[in-house]
């Protein structure tokens, strides 16, 4: 009789915990990176019940050995803080048996999650051969990839590993997340110390699959059997097992699936997932992972040119908890890479998978430098409206920074409405040309509505595919950071600020 797949998964998870062999958990290995000081790295594994396990570090700096008893088949230790560098060996020992990890570095660990645009391989990007030809120049960027598995219950360890901890080689990095790799190697070049990259993502999945049941309940969602978008099935098997690991932060690229699945809930489910991950990683690491660890994400790029569907536009807005920018009061210590100006009409992997992941990753690193590493004078936010004023002839949009502007006829849209209700998808939206601009202000025609008092709202880049490659009309003064999309209403919903 065949064993059901889920039962097999659970049997494998049980096997990890009960075979009595002294060893490390699945996501520790040779060549790995452990979180550097000031945080303390956590290590755990399996061993014979009640055995006394001694764990010690050998390398550039000395550290006292840690001893702990095996309880219910598991041991767990927390190192004292270790400064960035290496290599080290980590040895766990009991009477008559040892397990050793070699070539271990201390640096920052970043967890990379999401769906297919995060899963998208380095071998698939523009200039892939050139990128792969240089990966060995970054020996202190180490990669690890969890295998694709699901579970209906929370697991303590990964069921399987796709790529064990590895030095960067053409063969290994070719099938690793491009956004994750590029983010890591740019950060390594900037920080000049080791970076560990942990990839755990799955194409076509919704945020609900990566969220715990508790996080989903906060948004009024219950269980679902629609695997792999079933609630919590990937949280259980691909995130929950990692909680004991001390990490620096996370980067995320997901949302396409939610453009057609619980779209209206995303402004709750996404921030709730971030909050929950932060709390659970902090608890799982014994307080070593920061309770507010930095979380970066990619705002959705593009899919269908000339589409009139608001799905991608709504998700982009909801990714910011409906603020339009991050960090904000609801999503503190977060950073975002705007990607709507990076379409790829000829992508052989479908237009939903643009091949320019280098610009995406570079924009993420700007946010990481500013938000995660507190670097001063690192611009990471594109221009966002500071005020919107209208009169009988014009609507003036004043931005919070100096802008670079090009003419455009339809990327701005004015909402004409005679009622005092907030503008929405079914409102009358009329394209408004950019007429004039100066260093911080863009002026639009306002006489599109029958009555000037009917100008009830304004939106920018509110479409799936708002512009061609790097050709949106408004950028930062150096034209590196695009202005993100926004929607503003003169008459906001009750309970919300205007």
């Amino acid at each position: 009789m065949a064993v059901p797949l889920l039962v097999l998964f659970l049997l494998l998870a049980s096997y990890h915990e009960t075979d009595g062999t002294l060893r490390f958990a699945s996501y520790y290995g040779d060549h790995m990176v452990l979180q550097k000081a000031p945080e303390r790295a956590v290590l755990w594994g399996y061993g014979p019940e009640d055995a006394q396990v001694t764990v010690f570090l050998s390398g550039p700096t000395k550290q006292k050995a840690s001893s702990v008893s095996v309880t219910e088949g598991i041991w767990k230790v927390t190192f004292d803080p270790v400064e960035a560098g290496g290599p080290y060996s980590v040895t766990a020992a009991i009477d008559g048996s040892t397990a050793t990890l070699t070539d271990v570095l201390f640096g920052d660990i970043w967890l990379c999650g999401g769906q297919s645009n995060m899963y998208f391989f380095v071998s698939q990007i523009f200039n892939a051969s050139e990128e792969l030809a240089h990966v060995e120049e970054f020996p202190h960027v180490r990669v690890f990839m969890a295998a694709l598995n699901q579970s209906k219950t929370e697991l303590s360890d990964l069921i399987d590993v796709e790529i064990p901890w590895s030095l960067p080689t053409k063969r290994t990095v070719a099938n690793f997340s491009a956004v994750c790799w590029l983010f890591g190697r740019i950060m390594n070049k900037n920080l000049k110390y080791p970076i560990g990259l942990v990839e755990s993502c799955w194409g076509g999945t919704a945020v609900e699959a990566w969220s715990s049941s508790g996080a989903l309940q906060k948004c009024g969602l219950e269980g679902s059997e629609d695997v792999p978008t079933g609630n919590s099935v990937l949280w259980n098997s691909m995130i929950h097992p990692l909680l004991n690991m001390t990490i620096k932060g996370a980067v995320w690229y997901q949302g396409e699936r939610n453009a057609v699945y619980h779209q209206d809930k995303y402004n709750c489910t996404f921030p709730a997932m971030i909050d929950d991950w932060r709390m659970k990683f902090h608890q799982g690491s014994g307080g070593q992972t920061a309770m507010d660890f930095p979380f970066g994400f990619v705002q959705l790029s593009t899919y269908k040119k000339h589409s009139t569907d608001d799905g991608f536009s709504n998700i982009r807005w909801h990714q910011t908890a409906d603020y339009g920018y991050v960090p904000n009061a609801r999503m503190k210590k977060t950073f975002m890479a705007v990607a709507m100006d990076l379409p790829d009409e000829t992508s052989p992997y479908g237009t939903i998978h643009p091949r320019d992941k280098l610009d995406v990753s570079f924009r993420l690193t700007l946010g990481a430098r500013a938000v995660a590493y507190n670097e001063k004078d690192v611009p990471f936010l594109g221009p966002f409206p500071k005020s919107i004023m209208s009169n009988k002839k014009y609507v003036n949009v004043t931005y919070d920074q100096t802008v670079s502007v090009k003419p455009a006829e339809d990327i701005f849209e004015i909402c004409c409405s005679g009622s005092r209700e907030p503008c929405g998808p079914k409102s009358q939206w009329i394209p408004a040309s950019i007429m004039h601009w100066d260093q911080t202000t863009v002026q639009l025609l306002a006489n599109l509505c029958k009555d000037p008092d009917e100008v009830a709202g304004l939106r920018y880049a509110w479409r799936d595919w708002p512009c061609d490659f790097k050709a949106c009309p408004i950028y930062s003064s150096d034209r590196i950071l695009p202005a993100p999309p926004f929607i503003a209403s003169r008459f906001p919903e009750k309970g919300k600020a205007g």
Side-chain angles (χ1 to χ4, degrees):
M1 181 177 176
V3 179
L5 194 57
L6 177 63
V7 174
L8 178 60
F9 286 173
L10 296 179
L11 287 173
L12 286 169
S14 299
Y15 174 79
H16 276 311
E17 300 173 5
T18 60
D19 70 350
T21 304
L22 176 66
R23 56 199 169 85
F24 292 89
S26 66
Y27 48 86
Y28 299 100
D30 297 342
H31 315 301
M32 79 172 301
V33 176
L34 291 171
Q35 183 58 41
K36 71 171 187 65
E39 293 80 26
R40 300 165 66 191
V42 177
L43 288 96
W44 70 277
Y46 307 98
E49 191 66 21
D50 297 325
Q52 193 74 11
V53 179
T54 301
V55 183
F56 53 92
L57 194 66
S58 303
T61 61
K62 292 184 178 180
Q63 184 168 130
K64 63 182 180 181
S66 301
S67 293
V68 65
S69 295
V70 177
T71 303
E72 296 183 357
I74 292 176
W75 56 267
K76 180 177 173 182
V77 299
T78 303
F79 281 158
D80 290 334
V82 178
E83 295 300 324
Y88 290 86
S89 293
V90 180
T91 300
I94 59 174
D95 288 340
S97 182
T98 62
T100 300
L101 308 178
T102 61
D103 188 32
V104 174
L105 304 178
F106 282 80
D108 282 340
I109 295 182
W110 284 87
L111 172 62
C112 302
Q115 60 178 108
S116 58
N117 270 304
M118 181 61 83
Y119 192 80
F120 198 82
F121 295 158
V122 173
S123 61
Q124 297 172 310
I125 63 172
F126 286 129
N127 301 317
S129 58
E130 181 180 353
E131 180 66 35
L132 290 170
H134 294 283
V135 295
E136 294 181 14
E137 297 173 13
F138 300 91
H140 288 173
V141 182
R142 307 291 175 83
V143 297
F144 174 92
M145 181 179 177
L148 307 183
N149 287 293
Q150 308 160 24
S151 174
K152 291 186 179 179
T153 59
E154 292 180 341
L155 304 182
S156 61
D157 201 357
L158 296 172
I159 295 166
D160 198 7
V161 171
E162 184 69 25
I163 300 176
W165 281 105
S166 304
L167 278 78
T169 64
K170 289 181 182 180
R171 182 176 179 181
T172 300
V173 174
N175 294 325
F176 192 74
S177 162
V179 170
C180 193
W181 165 257
L182 293 166
F183 173 84
R185 69 109 161 130
I186 295 171
M187 292 308 302
N188 170 250
K189 190 173 183 178
N190 182 68
L191 296 169
K192 296 179 172 52
Y193 61 70
I195 297 291
L197 300 172
V198 177
E199 177 184 346
S200 186
C201 55
W202 190 323
T205 53
V207 72
E208 290 83 359
W210 299 99
S211 304
S212 73
S213 58
L216 294 176
Q217 286 170 9
K218 292 181 179 179
C219 300
L221 293 174
E222 301 299 332
S224 168
E225 300 298 320
D226 185 17
V227 177
T229 58
N231 293 356
S232 306
V233 295
L234 302 181
W235 156 263
N236 292 337
S237 58
M238 296 179 67
I239 300 297
H240 188 271
L242 304 175
L243 296 183
N244 290 345
M245 179 186 290
T246 308
I247 65 172
K248 173 66 175 182
V251 287
W252 176 261
Y253 195 160
Q254 188 276 332
E256 297 92 341
R257 179 71 177 91
N258 286 100
V260 293
Y261 182 77
H262 289 166
Q263 177 192 125
D264 60 336
K265 293 279 190 178
Y266 203 83
N267 56 358
C268 179
T269 52
F270 183 42
M273 187 201 78
I274 296 172
D275 291 345
D276 190 63
W277 279 26
R278 284 171 166 170
M279 179 181 67
K280 299 287 176 58
F281 271 95
H282 180 72
Q283 292 172 343
S285 64
Q288 296 310 308
T289 297
M291 190 177 291
D292 61 346
F293 69 75
F295 194 104
F297 63 93
V298 182
Q299 194 179 51
L300 287 192
S301 185
T302 53
Y303 182 20
K304 296 180 180 178
K305 198 170 188 179
H306 308 304
S307 172
T308 57
D309 183 87
D310 278 349
F312 269 45
S313 300
N314 291 336
I315 290 296
R316 288 183 188 126
W317 188 245
H318 292 337
Q319 284 178 302
T320 67
D322 298 355
Y323 280 77
Y325 58 89
V326 295
N328 58 51
R330 176 63 186 88
M331 300 176 67
K332 297 178 180 178
K333 212 162 181 180
T334 60
F335 53 95
M336 174 177 75
V338 176
M340 66 177 185
D341 67 327
L342 305 174
D344 185 358
E345 195 167 359
T346 60
S347 172
Y349 311 103
T351 54
I352 202 169
H353 299 124
R355 288 167 287 175
D356 179 14
K357 298 298 193 257
L358 181 57
D359 282 298
V360 168
S361 302
F362 174 70
R363 291 172 185 179
L364 276 175
T365 63
L366 295 178
R369 290 171 60 189
V371 174
Y373 295 96
N374 300 310
E375 286 192 43
K376 304 302 180 186
D377 302 319
V378 177
F380 71 103
L381 297 170
F384 199 79
K386 183 169 63 174
S387 67
I388 301 173
M389 306 292 292
S390 64
N391 56 38
K392 292 183 178 181
K393 290 186 177 181
Y394 300 110
V395 174
N396 292 316
V397 184
T398 301
Y399 284 89
D400 58 4
Q401 60 184 267
T402 303
V403 293
S404 173
V405 182
K406 289 185 176 181
E409 295 182 356
D410 60 359
I411 200 164
F412 281 98
E413 295 172 288
I414 289 174
C415 172
C416 299
S417 175
S419 70
R420 298 182 66 84
E421 297 295 322
C423 292
K426 296 183 180 179
S427 300
Q428 182 185 11
W429 292 96
I430 301 175
S433 299
I434 296 175
M435 301 302 297
H436 307 284
W437 62 87
D438 58 25
Q439 284 193 321
T440 59
T441 301
V442 173
Q443 191 173 78
L444 315 169
L445 270 180
N447 60 1
L448 302 168
C449 302
K450 293 180 180 179
D451 186 322
D453 290 334
E454 290 183 357
V455 177
L458 180 69
R459 64 188 188 184
Y460 171 76
W462 205 262
R463 64 188 64 159
D464 181 324
W465 193 300
C467 59
D468 290 331
F469 188 78
K470 292 188 178 180
C472 282
I474 301 175
Y475 284 80
S476 55
S477 59
D478 55 10
R479 290 200 64 80
I480 291 176
L481 296 170
F486 72 84
I487 185 168
S489 181
R490 178 185 289 180
F491 311 112
E493 293 180 40
K494 293 180 181 179
K496 288 191 177 182

